[in-house]
């Protein structure tokens, strides 16, 4: 039996979709027995959501006031203590998982694999390097704990079915530091569909030209029920919030439909959309590199094309 | 504050198109342009700005790797770092080994602030800063897009999936940089000349940590599945037709 511990990502009330994706990855590990750990001040809601996920054997609920904010400095020592009895420790490769997991790994005295995209066997995994321009096989030695973040864009979410895994309250006797304090979270992109789960994502780049012009992108997204993304250049220029950046250093997404307007297609951007079902590119430059990977390309001015699209979609 | 320690990793320049070797043993690096990891350049820029504001007296740059890392350290000195340390090894160094090595330097140098890039653009690991903070038993502020020092504390704005998170940490601490923290300066020719006279100390990795065996064995490298060029359409209504054919829009 391979005991797998997954750290749940949540906002206090709702489990992030990254967690059921980690469950799917964990289920690929031979003979896995999956436990989800929910660290929160009041973990009940999220623990119940986790318990419904198919394939989950147990939920460990760690209630503690310090867990109200998911700070790596406070979570890592608890996670390291809890993970002592497990063979595998997994977290999503979201900013949450990337922040907390290496800290826990170091406390456990082991290394970590980042962004696993495929389980080959109990000890071997595939992961992307060089912004996804190469895929490597990595093997962790027998007897060593496997600590890894899961590239969530590579996995479908485990369904929330009729499962009812037992929820066990766990109290950990771990001293927590007070050197790190949460001040505030300023939410960015608003209440649009989440980029990492949206079926369709519409993105704008530097070609959109201004924050005001981005309204065109939002309106089209509204019409299609799509999430809205952006290139780094659009974020740097202040057109949109940072959490909308797609790419190597932003979000890695896998929507069924991705539409890029005024984005040139730098490798760092393409890294974020390689798993998309269909990629559409609209760019006024016929030589733009994005056309090399687009399934459907249209050369033209986005300021003319978006209103026309709007009409055709209504027709 | 006295000292800021900055890590500089030597990596394939971000503009290079990466190719996997035919035999799958790695990626082509022969004759390829090497640079400071872009996130580390941002880390150094931030440290220099802090020193130039009068909030720190010395900026030390560190690189771990083969002898050629001296080039990147010299560039760091030309940007304005005061001195450089090369921890030399011909073996691959994984993030845990890098963190253990940096910890040894911290014990010696006693910096109040360590600034590293959030990830290296070669292995894309995004681990070293967090591991170092754990081993040092100090705060970490990862993915920083703004850093404000107030005496013995730092207020850091972090780029997270949900937006911007602000945290406050006691110093000493480890900060890792995101792209929007600053825009690094260009190196001027006279600075390159001056940098040649700045101190660059070389230490052997084996003198600092005993066992740098990597956590995982890296096996075969493969090229990712390629997406190919699709079809071109002539106008918006053709585009909508194509999407309707695929059942992607109503
Ligand atoms: C370490 C590192 C990490 C990075 N990470 C990321 C990342 O995560 N995500 C990311 O996106 N980038 C990232 N980048 C930046 C990346 O290299 C590019 O600079 C960026 O993606 C360019 O954004 P863009 O395509 O919007 O802008 P540009 O490259 O300037 O392209 C703008 C495009 O708009 C087109 N255009 C202009 N006007 C119109 C119009 N009216 N109608 C139609 N088309 C028009 C132009 O033809 C052009 O192709 C990273 C870079 C580095 C060094």
């Amino acid at each position: 039996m391979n005991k797998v511990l997954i750290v749940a990502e949540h906002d206090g009330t709702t489990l992030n979709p990254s967690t059921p994706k980690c469950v799917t990855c964990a289920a690929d590990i031979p003979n896995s027995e999956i436990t989800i750990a929910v660290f929160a001040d009041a973990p009940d809601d999220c623990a119940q959501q986790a318990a419904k996920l198919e394939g989950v054997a147990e939920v460990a609920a760690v209630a503690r006031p310090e867990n109200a904010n998911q700070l790596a400095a406070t979570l890592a020592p608890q996670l390291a203590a809890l993970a002592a009895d497990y063979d595998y420790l997994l977290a999503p490769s979201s900013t949450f998982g990337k922040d907390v997991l290496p800290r826990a790994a170091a406390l456990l005295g082991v290394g970590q694999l980042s962004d696993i995209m495929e389980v080959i066997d109990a000890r071997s995994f595939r992961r992307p390097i060089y912004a996804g321009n190469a895929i490597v096989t990595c093997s962790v030695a027998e007897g060593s704990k496997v600590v890894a973040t899961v590239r969530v864009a590579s996995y479908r979410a485990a369904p929330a079915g009729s499962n009812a895994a037992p929820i066990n309250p766990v109290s950990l006797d771990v001293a927590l530091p007070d050197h790190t304090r949460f001040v505030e979270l300023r939410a960015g992109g608003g209440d649009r569909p989440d980029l990492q789960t949206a079926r369709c994502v519409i993105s704008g780049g530097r070609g959109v030209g201004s924050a005001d012009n981005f309204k065109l992108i939002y309106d089209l997204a509204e019409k299609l029920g799509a999430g809205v993304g952006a290139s780094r250049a659009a974020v740097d220029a202040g057109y949109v919030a940072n959490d909308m950046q797609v790419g190597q250093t932003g979000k890695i997404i896998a929507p069924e439909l991705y539409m890029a307007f005024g984005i040139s297609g730098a490798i760092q951007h393409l890294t974020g959309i390689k798993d998309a079902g269909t990629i559409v590119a609209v760019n006024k430059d016929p030589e733009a590199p994005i056309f090399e990977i687009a399934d459907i390309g249209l050369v033209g001015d986005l300021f003319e094309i978006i209103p026309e699209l709007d009409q055709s979609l209504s027709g | 504050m006295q000292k800021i320690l900055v890590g500089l990793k030597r990596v394939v320049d971000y503009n290079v198109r990466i190719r996997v070797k035919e035999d799958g043993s790695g990626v082509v690096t022969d004759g390829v342009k090497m640079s400071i990891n872009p996130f580390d350049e941002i880390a150094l820029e931030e440290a220099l700005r802090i020193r130039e504001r009068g909030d720190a007296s010395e900026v030390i740059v560190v690189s771990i790797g083969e002898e050629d890392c001296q080039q990147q350290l010299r560039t760091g000195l030309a940007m304005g770092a005061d001195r450089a340390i090369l921890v030399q090894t011909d073996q691959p160094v994984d993030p845990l080994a890098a963190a253990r090595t940096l910890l040894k330097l911290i014990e010696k140098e006693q910096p109040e602030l360590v600034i590293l890039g959030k990830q290296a653009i070669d292995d894309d690991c995004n681990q070293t800063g967090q591991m170092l903070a754990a081993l040092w038993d100090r705060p970490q502020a990862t993915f920083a897009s703004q850093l404000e020092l107030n005496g013995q504390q730092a207020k850091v704005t972090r780029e997270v999936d949900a937006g911007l998170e602000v945290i406050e940490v006691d110093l000493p601490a480890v900060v890792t940089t995101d792209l929007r923290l600053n825009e690094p300066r260009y190196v001027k020719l006279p600075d390159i000349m001056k940098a040649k006279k700045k101190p660059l100390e070389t230490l052997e990795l084996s003198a600092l940590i005993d066992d740098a065996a990597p956590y995982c064995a890296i096996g075969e490298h493969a090229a990712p599945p390629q997406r190919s060029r699709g079809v071109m359409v002539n106008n918006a209504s053709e585009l909508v037709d194509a999407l309707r054919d695929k059942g992607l829009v109503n």
Side-chain angles (χ1 to χ4, degrees):
Chain A
M1 187 64 73
N2 286 313
K3 293 185 71 184
V4 184
L5 184 67
I6 297 172
V7 196
E9 177 172 9
H10 62 82
D11 61 6
T13 49
T14 313
L15 209 57
N16 189 289
S18 63
T19 305
K21 292 182 178 180
C22 288
V23 172
T24 304
C25 174
D28 285 348
I29 296 166
N31 298 317
S32 57
E33 184 187 75
I34 302 169
T35 301
I36 295 186
V38 178
F39 296 89
D41 54 343
D44 291 4
D45 288 353
C46 295
Q48 272 158 23
Q49 293 161 40
K52 291 203 178 85
L53 296 174
E54 260 165 47
V56 173
E58 187 203 345
V59 176
V62 188
R64 202 160 164 167
E66 294 93 329
N67 291 342
N69 298 301
Q70 304 277 296
L71 294 170
T74 41
L75 292 183
Q78 301 174 69
L79 190 52
L82 186 60
D85 297 334
Y86 290 83
D87 308 301
Y88 294 75
L89 173 58
L90 303 182
S93 67
S94 53
T95 51
F96 163 74
K98 286 173 178 169
D99 190 37
V100 69
L101 203 68
R103 191 170 179 114
L107 293 177
L108 288 162
V110 295
Q112 183 195 294
L113 297 172
S114 294
D115 308 316
I116 54 175
M117 56 195 290
E118 190 186 336
V119 177
I120 301 170
D121 59 42
R123 316 300 305 177
S124 309
F125 307 86
R126 284 204 176 85
R127 62 172 300 258
I129 57 173
Y130 287 100
N133 286 296
I135 311 293
V136 281
T137 305
C138 304
S139 313
V140 178
E142 206 67 52
S144 176
K145 203 185 293 288
V146 175
V147 180
T149 57
V150 175
R151 183 179 184 275
V152 286
S154 299
Y155 291 93
R156 286 177 184 282
S162 51
N163 192 18
I167 299 174
N168 298 318
V170 177
S171 73
L172 298 164
D173 184 21
V174 184
L176 299 182
D178 58 5
H179 53 47
T180 306
R181 294 166 295 275
F182 174 83
V183 179
E184 60 171 332
L185 176 67
R186 281 182 254 140
D191 51 5
R192 306 220 64 85
D194 177 56
L195 277 185
Q196 263 137 342
T197 46
R199 208 182 61 81
C200 170
V201 171
I202 315 268
S203 279
R206 200 199 305 270
V208 176
S210 71
D212 284 347
N213 291 348
F214 240 84
K215 186 169 183 308
L216 277 172
I217 304 282
Y218 287 120
D219 288 349
L220 182 60
E222 182 78 27
K223 185 154 224 159
L224 295 171
V228 177
S231 70
R232 173 188 170 191
V235 177
D236 284 1
Y239 304 168
V240 294
N242 67 282
D243 55 334
M244 292 164 65
Q245 181 173 317
V246 171
Q248 180 184 21
T249 49
K251 288 179 179 155
I252 311 275
I253 60 174
E256 278 174 45
L257 173 61
Y258 184 77
M259 300 179 78
F261 292 90
I263 293 179
S264 61
I267 44 173
Q268 294 88 2
H269 186 80
L270 302 184
T271 305
I273 57 171
K274 281 197 174 132
D275 299 292
T278 297
I279 297 176
V280 172
V282 175
N283 195 303
K284 68 179 181 189
D285 173 10
E287 305 296 324
I290 190 137
F291 288 126
E292 285 165 32
I293 58 106
D295 299 290
I296 308 175
L298 173 51
V299 177
D301 187 335
L302 69 93
F303 297 106
E304 289 165 17
I305 288 166
I306 293 182
E308 287 166 17
L309 278 175
D310 209 52
Q311 279 213 323
S312 302
L313 285 166
S314 306
Chain B
M1 137 174 13
Q2 289 293 310
K3 290 181 192 171
I4 305 177
L5 194 76
V6 173
L8 300 183
K9 186 175 185 187
R10 174 185 166 89
V11 298
V12 174
D13 188 85
Y14 80 95
N15 275 314
V16 171
R17 248 182 204 275
I18 298 295
R19 278 178 304 124
V20 174
K21 287 183 191 163
E22 297 267 329
D23 65 0
S25 63
V27 303
V28 178
T29 51
D30 286 350
V32 156
K33 183 177 177 205
M34 304 296 285
S35 297
I36 298 176
N37 178 41
F39 293 95
D40 302 351
E41 219 178 346
I42 293 169
L44 175 54
E45 177 64 36
E46 196 65 17
L48 295 174
R49 290 184 190 186
I50 293 168
R51 191 195 62 196
E52 285 159 4
R53 284 202 304 266
D55 287 341
S57 46
E58 190 181 30
V59 174
I60 308 166
V61 286
V62 180
S63 194
I64 308 170
E66 51 199 38
E67 200 183 347
D68 289 341
C69 295
Q70 284 193 15
Q71 293 164 12
Q72 280 63 44
L73 289 172
R74 286 288 171 207
T75 307
L77 292 169
M79 278 178 72
D82 298 287
R83 62 188 168 94
I85 302 171
L86 168 62
V87 181
Q88 199 171 320
T89 174
D90 292 332
Q91 301 302 313
V93 179
D94 72 5
L96 184 60
R100 289 168 57 212
T101 307
L102 290 170
L103 182 67
K104 288 292 171 194
L105 297 179
I106 286 172
E107 286 165 359
K108 191 166 147 220
E109 301 286 350
Q110 301 284 325
E112 281 93 345
L113 186 61
V114 176
I115 315 182
L116 305 177
K118 75 165 180 183
Q119 75 192 77
I121 61 163
D122 50 4
D123 61 24
D124 282 330
C125 276
N126 197 330
Q127 300 171 7
T128 307
Q130 297 87 314
M131 289 181 165
L132 174 61
L135 300 177
W136 193 15
D137 199 13
R138 294 304 308 164
Q140 70 189 44
T142 52
F143 326 144
S145 63
Q146 212 182 323
L147 169 60
E148 209 181 292
L149 297 174
N150 315 304
Q152 278 314 296
Q153 289 169 0
K155 200 170 171 187
V156 184
T157 305
R158 309 178 52 233
E159 293 203 359
V160 295
D161 290 342
L164 295 171
E165 184 188 73
V166 183
I167 62 171
E168 194 180 62
V169 297
D170 295 338
L171 299 179
V174 178
V175 171
T176 75
T177 61
D178 219 315
L179 292 171
R180 276 171 283 276
L181 183 59
N182 61 49
E183 225 174 287
R185 66 196 63 190
Y186 286 103
V187 177
K188 297 186 212 77
L189 197 59
D191 297 329
I192 297 176
M193 302 311 290
K194 262 193 277 176
K196 292 197 171 131
K197 299 203 185 72
K198 290 186 179 175
L200 192 160
E201 177 188 2
T202 301
L203 304 169
E204 287 297 324
L205 181 79
S206 54
L208 292 178
I209 60 171
D210 32 276
D211 169 31
Y215 173 62
C216 67
I218 307 284
E220 195 206 357
H221 289 61
Q226 295 297 322
R227 294 189 77 108
S228 50
R229 190 180 265 277
V231 298
M232 297 300 285
V233 294
N234 296 307
N235 53 47
S237 73
E238 280 187 33
L239 174 53
V240 171
D241 288 345
L243 293 175
R244 284 193 176 131
D245 281 350
K246 289 178 172 244
L248 289 166
V249 300
N250 294 325

